[in-house]
Amino acid sequence: MNITLNGDSRRVPQGTTATDLVNKLGLAGRRFALEVNGEIVPKSEHDSFEFRSGDEVEIVHAVGGG
């Protein structure tokens, strides 16, 4: 199925969870926000949240600085 990830079309297997995507992107253990179709998906729901075809996904990384 296809989702849009940060503006780019991306093919992922049916049943892909937020945790699956985070791991595939190498973001496990890093600080980021995950938004799907304009709604934040809390980290506590990443294991159970499954993407649907056509979802608009935004991942924003926290960047330190001063």
Side-chain angles (χ1 to χ4, degrees), residues 13-29:
Q14 190 74 28
T16 297
T17 66
T19 297
D20 295 335
L21 183 62
V22 165
N23 289 337
K24 183 174 181 111
L25 296 173
L27 298 175

Side-chain angles (χ1 to χ4, degrees), residues 6 9 11 18 21-22 28-29 31 38-39 44-46 55 58 63:
N6 292 348
S9 182
R11 194 150 178 79
L21 183 62
V22 165
R31 295 184 64 136
E39 298 288 329
S44 62
E45 296 178 15
H46 285 190
D55 278 345
E58 293 289 328
V63 179

Side-chain angles (χ1 to χ4, degrees), residues 2-66:
N2 289 316
I3 62 172
T4 301
L5 176 61
N6 292 348
D8 295 322
S9 182
R10 184 177 195 103
R11 194 150 178 79
V12 296
Q14 190 74 28
T16 297
T17 66
T19 297
D20 295 335
L21 183 62
V22 165
N23 289 337
K24 183 174 181 111
L25 296 173
L27 298 175
R30 297 183 63 192
R31 295 184 64 136
F32 63 89
L34 174 68
E35 180 182 286
V36 179
N37 302 323
E39 298 288 329
I40 296 292
V41 178
K43 189 172 182 176
S44 62
E45 296 178 15
H46 285 190
D47 287 341
S48 62
F49 183 90
E50 289 188 13
F51 296 103
R52 292 175 283 180
S53 186
D55 278 345
E56 297 279 335
V57 182
E58 293 289 328
I59 297 179
V60 180
H61 304 265
V63 179

